[in-house]
Amino acid sequence: MLLSHHYAQDLPSNFSSPVTPKPSPNPQIIALNEPLAYELGLDPHWLRSDEGIAFLSQGKRPDHLSPVAMAYAGHQFGQFVPSLGDGRALLVGELTSKTGEMFDLHLKGTGLTPFSRGGDGKCALGPALREYLVSEAMHALGIPTSRALAVITTGETIERETPLPGAIIARVARSHIRVGTFQYFAAKGDIKSVQTLADFTIQRLFPTIQLDDPKRYHALLTEVTQRHASLVTQWLSVGFIHGVMNTDNFTLSGETLDYGPCAFLDVYDPMKTFSFIDQHKRYAYGKQPQIALWNLSRLTECLLPLLNEDEDSAIQDAHSILHKFDSSFHHEWTNLFRHKLGFEKKDEKDLQLLEHFLETIHKGKADFTQIFRTVSSENAVLHNDYRNVRECVSSNQGYIDLCQTEIMHRLENETRSPAERLRAMKATNPRIIPRNHLIEQVISAATKGDFSPFHSLHAALKHPYADGNDGFDAPPHPNEIVEHTYCGT
Ligand code: AMP
Ligand code: MG
């Protein structure tokens, strides 16, 4: 393995704190992502050895360097908290993959750090398995995300509302630098550290930006803005609700990070939230683009002094960069949803058609994933038979007929064969997503010691676009519907 420690060693000591976690009483590997381990140059046999388990559960490095807790601040539900930091997680270092890309290895649930505040630094098994399943599902869907390397039970019982088994999740990401990392220094007026962090971020994540380019911070902001316009579009396209889009969970790399109270839509509703703590629906499904822009604005505020010495010019520059978010998002969204309905070419009336379709499925309380997959079925695409699509809505089925007429009319502009369209649509509209009720069932069984539902769901989620009849695509029965998710800390 190629393990470095750049964040800990190349940056000043106020960026992170070394922590040596206590060993767990009885660490046991519950899940090990062997394909990912290989990609990262890690030998799964070694990871299963005592040394490997100490590496994954305590961050014990072969070179004996200490893992570190990263410092960051953040806006939590709009309120600024100047010091958050890794309160229950540690950065072990960076692993260079077989293809030469660098990934942070981060462990969550390793115990107290200088940033733990009132918390215990621990993580329960349920949230660790949830993160493992959902982040790996996002990866299989083709969406930028942190990934799960392993879940380890610690042998401890941790105190939440009820006593729960403790666990550690080992995850990798291009980087754990967040908007909140910039805010930590900017809030102290420490512009020098903001600049050090910005240059480190450029070097690590945006190698095409030159470090001697006087416009490099403009380029950084432009890239991050573009990546998030694309990321949030991809979330919307699969019905994903992050649930806690605080600036401390908002990456510079443009990856999905922090699978706390996240959830996927069952029934389509743009104002849907699941997170129990999101009482004001700040992070509702359809509000995510607006929040992404809000978070990018917070990043911009931190970078202002670096954009231009003259404040007014800096603000003007920042405006023109952020202004591009809306057009990028609009462009990406229309493209992706156009593909979801099977259109390859562009048509100026597409936005209208897409909005009408979404309004129809909203009124008809259709399951988001199911209706898009049904529109992508052989019957609908090859035979123009929309009977099953009609079945997806609970009322006003006549509106589906109107949509069908519009779609058929629109298809006259297309040149692809129906068979090609069918293939493309199935590769865009997943059959399987990690549905909330399935995850709850997995967690409930695992908490009682039965991990087989976890393994079968995980196996199915690896192929979200493939046809199949495993039952994992079915929307929840009324008595299975999950209304709320919790942070699980
Ligand atoms: P999150 O909601 O996971 O994004 O966490 C927000 C902040 O709370 C971060 O600074 C976490 O490190 C901290 N935190 C969450 N849970 C715990 C815990 N059990 N112990 C200590 N800190 C925690
Ligand atoms: Mg977080």
Side-chain angles (χ1 to χ4, degrees):
M1 88 174 128
L2 204 51
L3 179 66
S4 53
H5 218 4
H6 291 299
Y7 198 88
Q9 295 189 315
D10 301 353
L11 290 167
S13 60
N14 55 333
F15 280 65
S16 61
S17 293
V19 175
T20 307
K22 292 201 183 84
S24 307
N26 182 21
Q28 300 280 340
I29 294 184
I30 295 302
L32 180 64
N33 193 337
E34 296 203 0
L36 178 61
Y38 281 119
E39 278 175 44
L40 294 169
L42 296 167
D43 176 1
H45 295 291
W46 179 75
L47 289 173
R48 290 185 190 280
S49 71
D50 287 349
E51 240 179 74
I53 291 178
F55 177 67
L56 289 174
S57 63
Q58 290 169 260
K60 242 190 181 179
R61 299 170 49 113
D63 57 12
H64 305 295
L65 294 172
S66 266
V68 295
M70 297 165 86
Y72 53 83
H75 272 93
Q76 298 193 304
F77 293 90
Q79 293 296 321
F80 186 63
V81 186
S83 181
L84 288 166
D86 285 334
R88 55 162 172 170
L90 294 173
L91 175 68
V92 180
E94 304 91 12
L95 287 161
T96 299
S97 73
K98 289 202 167 140
T99 52
E101 290 154 314
M102 202 178 263
F103 291 88
D104 284 358
L105 172 64
H106 214 237
L107 310 180
K108 188 159 155 182
T110 38
L112 294 176
T113 80
F115 301 104
S116 297
R117 297 171 291 152
D120 60 359
K122 304 284 164 82
C123 175
L125 176 62
L129 292 179
R130 166 188 280 271
E131 168 152 352
Y132 193 104
L133 286 175
V134 184
S135 65
E136 285 303 299
M138 291 289 265
H139 174 73
L141 286 162
I143 299 177
T145 176
S146 67
R147 295 198 59 192
L149 178 62
V151 169
I152 292 178
T153 46
T154 59
E156 270 182 322
T157 300
I158 64 168
E159 297 304 325
R160 293 294 180 261
E161 272 163 20
T162 52
L164 292 170
I168 289 167
I169 173 153
R171 69 176 176 207
V172 298
R174 287 301 180 96
S175 153
H176 284 77
I177 298 171
R178 313 133 193 270
V179 169
T181 321
F182 283 86
Q183 290 180 297
Y184 180 80
F185 300 109
K188 297 181 200 291
D190 181 357
I191 309 303
K192 191 165 163 272
S193 295
V194 173
Q195 181 161 18
T196 304
L197 180 63
D199 286 337
F200 183 90
T201 308
I202 290 172
Q203 206 174 4
R204 173 80 192 271
L205 296 173
F206 303 98
T208 56
I209 304 176
Q210 301 299 316
L211 276 178
D212 55 2
D213 180 350
K215 290 270 185 193
R216 62 189 179 281
Y217 307 116
H218 294 73
L220 171 65
L221 202 54
T222 306
E223 282 280 347
V224 177
T225 301
Q226 177 55 45
R227 285 195 190 186
H228 276 284
S230 164
L231 181 66
V232 76
T233 307
Q234 294 178 74
W235 287 357
L236 298 184
S237 79
V238 294
F240 179 72
I241 306 174
H242 183 284
V244 62
M245 281 178 81
N246 295 334
T247 55
D248 51 297
N249 293 330
F250 201 80
T251 56
L252 270 281
S253 62
E255 293 166 295
T256 314
L257 182 72
D258 205 320
Y259 291 88
C262 63
F264 281 76
L265 285 176
D266 293 308
V267 168
Y268 175 65
D269 173 4
M271 277 310 288
K272 184 70 186 172
T273 48
F274 287 92
S275 172
F276 190 69
I277 52 173
D278 193 3
Q279 298 289 343
H280 300 291
K281 293 189 170 284
R282 180 180 169 89
Y283 298 140
Y285 168 83
K287 283 171 76 179
Q288 297 182 110
Q290 181 184 326
I291 292 291
L293 179 58
W294 194 88
N295 289 348
L296 291 164
S297 305
R298 304 290 76 76
L299 174 65
T300 309
E301 283 166 2
C302 300
L303 295 177
L304 272 185
L306 307 182
L307 293 180
N308 204 309
E309 277 173 15
D310 173 55
E311 199 179 344
D312 287 339
S313 311
I315 291 174
Q316 226 169 24
D317 290 357
H319 263 296
S320 65
I321 298 172
L322 287 181
H323 197 66
K324 292 191 195 121
F325 178 86
D326 275 345
S327 53
S328 294
F329 168 70
H330 180 78
H331 175 81
E332 300 251 358
W333 187 91
T334 317
N335 255 339
L336 201 41
F337 275 74
R338 180 188 280 132
H339 292 153
K340 282 177 80 71
L341 281 187
F343 309 134
E344 185 187 29
K345 305 232 146 83
K346 290 185 182 161
D347 185 304
E348 57 182 29
K349 292 209 205 76
D350 280 348
L351 187 60
Q352 219 178 323
L353 188 155
L354 292 170
E355 283 175 348
H356 181 221
F357 184 78
L358 289 172
E359 200 186 300
T360 304
I361 71 171
H362 182 207
K363 275 197 208 130
K365 297 189 173 56
D367 182 274
F368 182 81
T369 305
Q370 190 184 46
I371 196 160
F372 273 105
R373 186 71 180 186
T374 311
V375 170
S376 319
S377 63
E378 279 77 357
N379 279 350
V381 180
L382 302 182
H383 310 299
N384 299 337
D385 175 355
Y386 266 53
R387 275 177 296 181
N388 291 336
V389 182
R390 275 175 137 251
E391 292 290 303
C392 292
V393 299
S394 60
S395 59
N396 297 328
Q397 296 184 327
Y399 286 108
I400 288 289
D401 301 339
L402 286 178
C403 287
Q404 182 186 6
T405 309
E406 277 181 79
I407 291 171
M408 293 303 135
H409 180 67
R410 169 66 177 78
L411 284 174
E412 288 167 16
N413 299 351
E414 295 283 316
T415 46
R416 270 194 304 201
S417 72
E420 279 176 286
R421 185 174 319 118
L422 178 69
R423 210 172 30 239
M425 287 176 80
K426 284 192 175 178
T428 308
N429 293 305
R431 181 178 73 87
I432 302 186
I433 47 148
R435 289 184 179 273
N436 314 318
H437 70 292
L438 297 177
I439 293 195
E440 292 306 324
Q441 287 164 13
V442 161
I443 292 176
S444 159
T447 306
K448 294 180 197 123
D450 177 7
F451 292 97
S452 58
F454 167 80
H455 292 295
S456 19
L457 182 59
H458 179 227
L461 288 167
K462 282 186 181 167
H463 307 286
Y465 299 104
D467 282 324
N469 55 4
D470 47 27
F472 286 126
D473 51 348
H477 292 298
N479 64 341
E480 291 176 325
I481 294 173
V482 172
E483 289 296 350
H484 293 297
T485 53
Y486 301 86
C487 255
T489 56

